[in-house]
Amino acid sequence: MTATETSAGRVRRRLSGRGGSIAALVIAVVWTVPTAGMLVSSLRPEEQIRTTGWWTFFSAPRLTLDNYTEVLFGGPASGRLAGYFVNSFVITLPTVVFDVALAALAAYCLSWMRFPGRDWIFIGIFSLQIVPLQMSLVPLLGLFSEGLAIGGVQVMPAWELLGAFQFTTVWVAHTVFGLPLGIFLLHNFISRLPHGLIEAARVDGAGHGVIFRRIVLPLSVPALVSLAIFQFLWVWNDLLVALIFAGGGIDVAPLTVRLAEMAGPTGEDWHRLTAGAFVSIVVPLIVFFCLQRYFVRGLLAGGMKG
């Protein structure tokens, strides 16, 4: 056994011992306390939220659902999050599907199809993660609103979308911004699939479409679910992209836009934020806990050689 292995084993034993367990428990409690405080505050009456801290709830407990009723179904000034809640689903679910599907296709292409410049294309896609999101907002918004003209020739017209098609610009923007990371993550997984399995399928006459659909996709489910969770959480919690490309109207704006406005113009109605914020995190928590086993498998498998 080498010195490196001995040191690694010593560290592993310390982390898995009683001290490591106590440290992990303390970190978990400290991390959870703010969320628990927000939940308790969301169930307290307005006058108590304004005058006392959430920890005083245990000395004189009073519970009410008025905050949730006001936030979800109240008037325009107080909340009415139900419509924005639906908008968040309409924005998030198609974006996740588009991003995962396109990233999987691109990752397979860059992993198992040979063509000139393949490695340079992957490096270029990887480097796009370094570009700040804010630098792309104005050019992309100009492309949607004015179209694209090259040499005086209109290559792409302006996107004048109405009705349900108003979400299209948000879908495209989120998909474009999420593809570099998605392709990078899936490429690291798909490129490590057993080479012999792919070659055996080619010998049997399977083309790239069959290999991708019947071999790569079933074996890549953990990585696909991991990417879907990442993308879902990012899009669901996004404010900047949705506000710029969708606006703040109730017909297209997501939940985060309404939460940012809920405290009022001078912040006097901040007591509503506890209930509104907890409503916004319920769906991501459900998604994560339902897909947690795939998420862990995808992260672990992505760091192992096939």
Side-chain angles (χ1 to χ4, degrees), residues 100-113 182-195 198 211-212 215-221 223-224 227 298 301-302 304 306:
V100 172
L102 294 176
L105 289 170
Y108 173 80
C109 178
L110 294 171
S111 299
W112 296 102
M113 297 178 66
I183 294 174
F184 174 71
L185 292 177
L186 292 184
H187 176 272
N188 289 346
F189 187 95
I190 293 176
S191 63
R192 295 178 183 272
L193 294 177
H195 190 272
I198 305 297
I211 295 175
F212 176 76
I215 297 178
V216 174
L217 285 184
L219 294 177
S220 304
V221 168
L224 296 174
L227 175 60
M304 300 173 59

Side-chain angles (χ1 to χ4, degrees), residues 51-118:
T51 56
T52 59
W54 64 267
W55 50 88
T56 61
F57 164 81
F58 301 100
S59 60
R62 284 180 57 192
L63 297 177
T64 180
L65 294 177
D66 293 342
N67 296 328
Y68 286 95
T69 303
E70 181 181 4
V71 163
L72 287 173
F73 309 108
S78 60
R80 196 186 291 175
L81 287 184
Y84 295 91
F85 204 84
V86 175
N87 292 341
S88 289
F89 273 106
V90 175
I91 291 174
T92 304
L93 295 182
T95 300
V96 172
V97 173
F98 295 153
D99 189 78
V100 172
L102 294 176
L105 289 170
Y108 173 80
C109 178
L110 294 171
S111 299
W112 296 102
M113 297 178 66
R114 299 186 179 276
F115 53 89
R118 182 187 67 172

Side-chain angles (χ1 to χ4, degrees), residues 102-237:
L102 294 176
L105 289 170
Y108 173 80
C109 178
L110 294 171
S111 299
W112 296 102
M113 297 178 66
R114 299 186 179 276
F115 53 89
R118 182 187 67 172
D119 295 337
W120 287 106
I121 293 176
F122 178 71
I123 294 174
I125 294 174
F126 174 77
S127 63
L128 288 176
Q129 301 179 65
I130 306 173
V131 179
L133 174 65
Q134 293 78 4
M135 293 182 61
S136 307
L137 295 177
V138 174
L140 190 58
L141 185 61
L143 181 67
F144 291 153
S145 59
E146 301 176 1
L148 177 62
I150 301 178
V153 179
Q154 192 74 18
V155 179
M156 187 183 74
W159 292 24
E160 299 178 356
L161 304 175
L162 301 174
F165 296 100
Q166 296 181 73
F167 293 103
T168 304
T169 55
V170 190
W171 295 337
V172 173
H174 274 305
T175 302
V176 169
F177 294 142
L179 276 178
L181 177 61
I183 294 174
F184 174 71
L185 292 177
L186 292 184
H187 176 272
N188 289 346
F189 187 95
I190 293 176
S191 63
R192 295 178 183 272
L193 294 177
H195 190 272
L197 184 63
I198 305 297
E199 291 299 324
R202 290 176 178 171
V203 170
D204 291 339
H208 287 295
V210 175
I211 295 175
F212 176 76
R213 186 173 63 256
R214 297 188 178 182
I215 297 178
V216 174
L217 285 184
L219 294 177
S220 304
V221 168
L224 296 174
V225 174
S226 299
L227 175 60
I229 292 175
F230 275 124
Q231 186 71 1
F232 186 94
L233 296 178
W234 177 57
V235 177
W236 183 271
N237 294 319

